[in-house]
Amino acid sequence: MLAHLKHRLALSGAPFLALMASDAVTLLSMMVGMVAVPWWIVQHGGASHLAVYGIAMGSASVLAIPLVAPFGDRIPKRQLIATGLCVYAAEAVALAILATHEVYSLPLLILLEIIAVIAISAIIPAMATLAAELVPAEQLSSALGLQKSAQAAGRLLGPALSGVLLATFSIAIALWAHALLLGVSILLAARLPLTPRSAAHDGAALPRWWNDLKAGLRANLRIPLERNWTLVNFLSWIFSGPAFGMLVPVKVKSLGLSGAWLGACEAALSLGMLAGALGGANWLIARYGRYHTRIVAAASRGILLAVAGFTHQPVVLVVCFLLAGIGNSAEVLVGMTHRTLARPPAFRSRMASTGMMITQVASALGPALAGVALLHAPVDLVYGLFGILAALSALLLLRVTGFRDFMALDHHEVTNWYGKHYPEAFRDH
């Protein structure tokens, strides 16, 4: 197995390995912050403050992702990633200073986190699409699997580290670790290859940005499969988002558990995602096919989140997140390769940013809905129902025309599939 892994790494090349390292440490740092900040909020402001925070972050992402991410097709991605990481690191230092001096202000915290959202909106799409520029198409599936593994490692270690720091030291120490790791990410990003700018780089910045945004939106809306797939993901994430996010610290606190258990839940989720990326997803695909794996994984994830909501046993809660992580990894990995390859290279960042924008709309609606629900029902019931509704929403993929046939295509057939079958989606008029 190790020999096979070494062979896959060798085929991916040194530039891609630099991307993997930067991506992993960035996710590691991000997850430390994503555990520490909600725990800080729930300790000082409770579920109501956490709901306001979730809505604000989702709303900020709705605007930031489509506004910033299109520059990934225009600006060299190394430059975009490095700049975003510097801004993110500065924001993390500000948070750590506030926590060190025990200054809790929800408006100020939200303002700082909006800055982080803008930075992340530049970093994540650029990292997600850079792999397609660094490896040949026939190696992309393997490379994306390796990248997901690196990301999952960061997602696994980040919550575990944050949970240990929260339980052993303080919120301030956890946030300083968050800032320090972002500093390491900056150093790693400097080793990324400098990919060329788009050939269509000439022209004023604002008109070019506006044209990029319209082009990404137009392409996603004009392709029925992409449009309907995105809609299903949108509905599912309205309920899955809070179940993976704001409801977790509320649930942990309702059980009288420490921040270490919050870290354990997030680490278990990441461990499951890592298991899926390292081979679990490929095993499911080989045994059941892409189509059935995608449907069952998404529905199972929702059911497991429902069980997590209803249980009062901490160990069961952690196990549910572990299994949900495997399902989430399989769900994402199965569709990500095909969608990335199907998009014309010049439109990958723009189309990805539009899809992320739709997801972030759901990320704003979900916490708002959960916050209102928590005013009228206990967290167990709200959490359980959100999981059930997430599972039912995921099953709507069964009704998306052409989805089964699309998932049956091999990597050679699916390359630029959107461009070949819907060329009008990529024209200006």
Side-chain angles (χ1 to χ4, degrees):
M1 183 175 178
L2 288 176
H4 177 64
L5 179 59
K6 289 180 180 178
H7 180 66
R8 290 175 65 190
L9 290 171
L11 287 177
S12 298
F16 179 75
L17 296 182
L19 173 64
M20 277 182 56
S22 179
D23 206 356
V25 178
T26 299
L27 266 294
L28 171 63
S29 173
M30 192 180 301
M31 291 306 299
V32 171
M34 287 179 66
V35 172
V37 172
W39 190 248
W40 188 13
I41 294 172
V42 82
Q43 290 294 104
H44 288 80
S48 61
H49 277 208
L50 197 59
V52 171
Y53 171 79
I55 295 167
M57 293 304 99
S59 300
S61 296
V62 170
L63 297 175
I65 288 175
L67 297 185
V68 176
F71 290 104
D73 290 324
R74 300 291 184 178
I75 300 173
K77 289 184 172 60
R78 185 183 73 180
Q79 178 183 335
L80 194 64
I81 291 168
T83 302
L85 284 172
C86 288
V87 173
Y88 194 11
E91 183 269 345
V93 169
L95 280 181
I97 291 172
L98 289 177
T100 299
H101 293 282
E102 298 184 353
V103 177
Y104 174 80
S105 169
L106 183 62
L108 180 57
L109 195 152
I110 287 175
L111 178 61
L112 288 171
E113 288 290 84
I114 287 174
I115 295 173
V117 166
I118 295 171
I120 292 169
S121 298
I123 297 165
I124 298 301
M127 283 188 165
T129 56
L130 182 56
E133 300 179 20
L134 301 180
V135 297
E138 60 271 16
Q139 297 296 331
L140 183 58
S141 179
S142 175
L144 288 176
L146 290 170
Q147 186 177 24
K148 289 293 292 182
S149 299
Q151 292 171 347
R155 290 181 183 276
L156 169 63
L157 296 175
L161 174 60
S162 192
V164 169
L165 294 175
L166 289 172
T168 308
F169 298 102
S170 65
I171 292 170
I173 294 297
L175 290 174
W176 278 115
H178 170 47
L180 179 62
L181 287 166
L182 282 172
V184 175
S185 298
I186 293 170
L187 296 178
L188 290 170
R191 302 176 59 188
L192 292 173
L194 188 63
T195 54
R197 300 167 185 258
S198 169
H201 187 70
D202 295 332
L206 184 58
R208 186 173 63 248
W209 161 82
W210 179 243
N211 289 336
D212 284 348
L213 179 59
K214 289 192 298 182
L217 288 168
R218 183 169 55 246
N220 279 275
L221 292 174
R222 286 181 177 178
I223 301 170
L225 174 61
E226 184 76 9
R227 181 177 66 242
N228 295 330
W229 194 344
T230 301
L231 178 59
V232 171
N233 286 346
F234 167 76
L235 293 173
S236 180
W237 195 250
I238 287 177
F239 306 108
S240 297
F244 278 127
M246 68 160 285
L247 289 174
V248 183
V250 178
K251 174 70 177 181
V252 170
K253 191 171 187 295
S254 74
L255 295 177
L257 303 173
S258 71
W261 281 99
L262 174 59
C265 290
E266 297 291 352
L269 175 65
S270 300
L271 179 60
M273 293 176 66
L274 179 61
L278 286 177
N282 288 334
W283 182 84
L284 290 170
I285 293 169
R287 188 174 180 86
Y288 301 107
R290 293 188 189 92
Y291 175 75
H292 291 101
T293 296
R294 178 63 173 78
I295 298 292
V296 174
S300 298
R301 184 193 64 181
I303 293 170
L304 287 162
L305 290 173
V307 174
F310 287 123
T311 188
H312 287 178
Q313 300 298 321
V315 174
V316 175
L317 185 66
V318 172
V319 171
C320 284
F321 275 97
L322 173 67
L323 298 177
I326 296 174
N328 190 70
S329 180
E331 175 190 353
V332 172
L333 193 58
V334 166
M336 182 175 62
T337 302
H338 266 41
R339 291 180 95 174
T340 300
L341 288 174
R343 295 162 176 165
F347 277 77
R348 282 172 180 160
S349 284
R350 281 169 278 187
M351 293 183 72
S353 69
T354 303
M356 292 176 70
M357 178 191 69
I358 300 300
T359 299
Q360 292 305 324
V361 173
S363 295
L365 293 176
L369 184 59
V372 171
L374 287 172
L375 296 176
H376 303 282
V379 64
D380 293 4
L381 180 59
V382 174
Y383 206 146
L385 288 177
F386 268 55
I388 293 170
L389 291 171
L392 293 175
S393 299
L395 291 175
L396 291 174
L397 271 177
L398 295 168
R399 305 296 300 172
V400 174
T401 303
F403 179 72
R404 180 193 287 267
D405 293 336
F406 179 78
M407 297 303 288
L409 298 173
D410 63 29
H411 292 148
H412 174 72
E413 293 171 324
V414 82
T415 299
N416 197 26
W417 191 84
Y418 289 161
K420 294 172 183 175
H421 289 78
Y422 300 96
E424 68 280 1
F426 306 101
R427 296 173 185 154
D428 292 336
H429 301 289

